[in-house]
Amino acid sequence: MIEFNHVSKKYPNGFEALKDINLTIEQGEFVAIIGLSGAGKSTLLRTINRMHDITEGSLTVDGTDVMQLRGGELRGFRRKIGMIFQSFNLVTRTRVINNVLMSKVPELSFFRALFGIYPKEDKLNALEALDKVGILDKAFVRADQLSGGQQQRVALARTLAQNPQIILADEPVASLDPVTAKQVMGDFQRINKEMNITILLNIHHVDLALQYASRVVGIRSGAIVYDGPASEVTEEILNEIYEGKQKEAEG
């Protein structure tokens, strides 16, 4: 369970990216975060694994106060949370399986990590992760020979290989064509249902959010203006999320 309790995030320049956020996400939910650029979607996502620190309130994951974690405890905590980015973050000049195996580097000794020596169990786990996202046949192909959608699937497989409880995805389909974006969103949906992994995903494509996620959180100017089932999102709610900023300016 992820719990935001009166969470705010203010940057040194005074900009308040998050304003009094109260949000509870249960294990196994698939939540899409929507809103205008600059609304606070990425900031909200990145506070969960401490890529950004909150400035007020409390944030707990499975009862652990995230802000109290330091050193090895913080690194161990982050091992339970997968992170997927728009840009894939792959080493494109090496093979796909090597990219997936990189999720295991923090668990290796210095010598094994230096020379890329992985236990057989890790290699089998990597192949299984690639199979789950439908690209097992690409395991020994260089990553730069794959399409954008295939590269994002490699990134997803790499995350699955670390056996996460939570996956955070920051605009994972923004650079993909519409057909491929739907395929990748389908992967997220299937993994969420089959593996009961909590998925939080911020996304500009509202139609995909409504089609694949079970719950939608709408953010405007750092504050939550909608939180509920994707099936109950109306045109009026979308106007509140996306046109509210314009109305504020006009007012």
Side-chain angles (χ1 to χ4, degrees):
M1 179 188 291
I2 303 168
E3 293 184 276
F4 291 80
N5 186 23
H6 297 289
V7 167
S8 295
K9 166 63 179 178
K10 184 178 288 187
Y11 288 100
N13 64 3
F15 176 71
E16 195 170 16
L18 298 177
K19 303 172 183 176
D20 195 30
I21 300 293
N22 291 288
L23 181 66
T24 299
I25 297 166
E26 301 287 348
Q27 180 64 36
E29 286 197 273
F30 185 1
V31 182
I33 306 168
I34 63 174
L36 292 166
S37 295
K41 302 188 303 298
S42 291
T43 302
L44 177 69
L45 207 68
R46 294 174 184 222
T47 59
I48 295 171
N49 63 355
R50 280 279 301 277
M51 289 183 72
H52 292 327
D53 287 343
I54 64 175
T55 48
E56 291 182 25
S58 66
L59 171 55
T60 60
V61 177
D62 292 335
T64 299
D65 187 337
V66 175
M67 289 302 296
Q68 297 301 313
L69 297 173
R70 298 289 185 275
E73 287 185 340
L74 178 58
R75 289 191 293 272
F77 168 76
R78 284 173 170 163
R79 292 291 299 149
K80 301 176 183 178
I81 302 177
M83 187 79 189
I84 295 175
F85 301 91
Q86 174 182 343
S87 57
F88 319 137
N89 285 12
L90 302 181
V91 180
T92 55
R93 293 188 177 184
T94 191
R95 297 181 302 175
V96 164
I97 190 170
N98 292 338
N99 274 277
V100 178
L101 283 166
M102 285 176 188
S103 66
K104 297 293 186 179
V105 167
E107 301 172 8
L108 299 178
S109 67
F110 174 78
F111 177 82
R112 282 181 172 271
L114 182 63
F115 292 100
I117 302 172
Y118 298 92
K120 181 180 178 180
E121 182 180 353
D122 286 353
K123 294 177 182 178
L124 292 174
N125 185 48
L127 292 172
E128 182 180 356
L130 287 168
D131 190 36
K132 286 176 181 175
V133 297
I135 53 171
L136 178 59
D137 60 319
K138 304 295 183 183
F140 299 100
V141 173
R142 272 183 31 156
D144 58 6
Q145 296 179 17
L146 303 183
S147 67
Q150 289 170 332
Q151 289 191 42
Q152 192 59 286
R153 283 187 164 124
V154 175
L156 180 53
R158 180 180 57 197
T159 296
L160 291 177
Q162 71 185 67
N163 298 315
Q165 297 174 1
I166 300 167
I167 292 178
L168 308 176
D170 194 0
E171 295 291 352
V173 298
S175 61
L176 305 180
D177 64 79
V179 173
T180 306
K182 286 186 176 183
Q183 293 171 344
V184 172
M185 287 295 291
D187 288 335
F188 280 113
Q189 186 184 61
R190 178 172 47 78
I191 286 165
N192 166 253
K193 290 180 177 179
E194 293 179 358
M195 304 179 68
N196 197 41
I197 296 175
T198 305
I199 295 179
L200 280 82
L201 176 150
N202 76 54
I203 186 169
H204 279 299
H205 301 286
V206 176
D207 57 332
L208 296 180
L210 300 184
Q211 182 178 353
Y212 291 97
S214 55
R215 177 180 171 189
V216 167
V217 172
I219 297 183
R220 189 186 75 226
S221 301
I224 293 177
V225 295
Y226 176 78
D227 178 11
S231 59
E232 295 181 10
V233 174
T234 63
E235 193 68 31
E236 183 178 359
I237 289 170
L238 292 177
N239 288 339
E240 176 69 12
I241 296 169
Y242 288 97
E243 296 182 12
K245 188 173 182 180
Q246 180 178 350
K247 291 178 181 177
E248 289 172 3
E250 291 173 351

